[in-house]
């Protein structure tokens, strides 16, 4: 943490501060470095508990369950959602990487979609659309605690809206 001079009142303020505590001058957002707030993968067990149990049973039967679980695990591990203080990024794919992202300031609509079983196991699909498009352009299924992630994004959405 370093100190800098406030351009309004000239007093020393922390470069981590969002505004000057003396005169209220707001540090432009551009000066804040991007920081990762959260990274998550789809939850294997929660998103499909019956499938998970069946696969485990299949291990005992033929060893086939092991293959299913491995492919499934790989799919989950190669799909990542990252929330920073500026944007939401979804990356997928092992060999060919597919990345999509939306700046928090561009978000127009954000939804959590949960079925009955999703609710019981605390998972859901997080869907985000930006001001540019009316349909959901970014969605992430099998996400544990989707409501928490939504409120995290909402928190930074309102921050980035108020200059
Ligand atoms: Zn000041």
């Amino acid at each position: 943490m370093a100190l800098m001079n406030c351009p309004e009142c000239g007093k020393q303020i922390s470069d981590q501060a969002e505004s000057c505590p003396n005169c209220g001058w707001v540090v432009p957002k551009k000066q804040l470095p991007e920081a990762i707030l959260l990274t998550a993968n789809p939850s294997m067990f929660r998103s499909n508990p019956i499938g998970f149990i069946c696969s485990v049973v299949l291990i005992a039967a033929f060893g086939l369950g092991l293959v299913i679980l491995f492919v499934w695990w790989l799919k989950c591990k190669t799909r990542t959602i990252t929330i920073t203080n500026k944007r939401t990024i979804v990356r997928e794919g092992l060999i060919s990487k597919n990345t999509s992202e939306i700046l928090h300031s561009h978000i127009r609509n954000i939804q959590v979609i949960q079925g009955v079983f999703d609710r019981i196991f605390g998972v859901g699909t997080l869907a985000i659309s930006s001001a540019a498009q009316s349909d959901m352009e970014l969605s992430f299924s099998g996400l544990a605690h989707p409501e928490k992630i939504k409120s995290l994004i909402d928190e930074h959405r309102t921050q980035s809206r108020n200059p």
Side-chain angles (χ1 to χ4, degrees), residues 87-103:
R87 58 202 162 133
T88 301
I89 309 149
V90 169
R91 289 189 185 91
E92 55 190 321
L94 184 62
I95 299 151
S96 60
K97 287 264 182 196
N98 189 356
T99 308
S100 40
E101 59 171 73
I102 296 180
L103 285 165

Side-chain angles (χ1 to χ4, degrees), residues 39-113:
T39 305
N41 301 110
S43 169
M44 276 181 81
F45 179 74
R46 284 167 191 260
S47 62
N48 191 352
I50 293 156
F52 192 88
I53 291 160
C54 288
S55 306
V56 172
V57 170
L58 276 173
I59 294 175
F62 312 104
L64 179 69
L66 212 58
V67 178
I68 296 169
L69 280 177
F70 179 72
V71 172
W72 186 4
W73 175 82
L74 207 63
K75 267 187 161 176
C76 287
K77 285 294 153 196
T78 53
R79 194 163 156 76
T80 315
I81 185 166
T82 305
I83 320 282
T84 77
N85 52 356
K86 291 183 199 294
R87 58 202 162 133
T88 301
I89 309 149
V90 169
R91 289 189 185 91
E92 55 190 321
L94 184 62
I95 299 151
S96 60
K97 287 264 182 196
N98 189 356
T99 308
S100 40
E101 59 171 73
I102 296 180
L103 285 165
H104 294 331
S105 52
H106 289 176
I107 294 175
R108 190 170 67 181
N109 190 8
I110 175 163
Q111 277 180 7
V112 169
I113 303 147

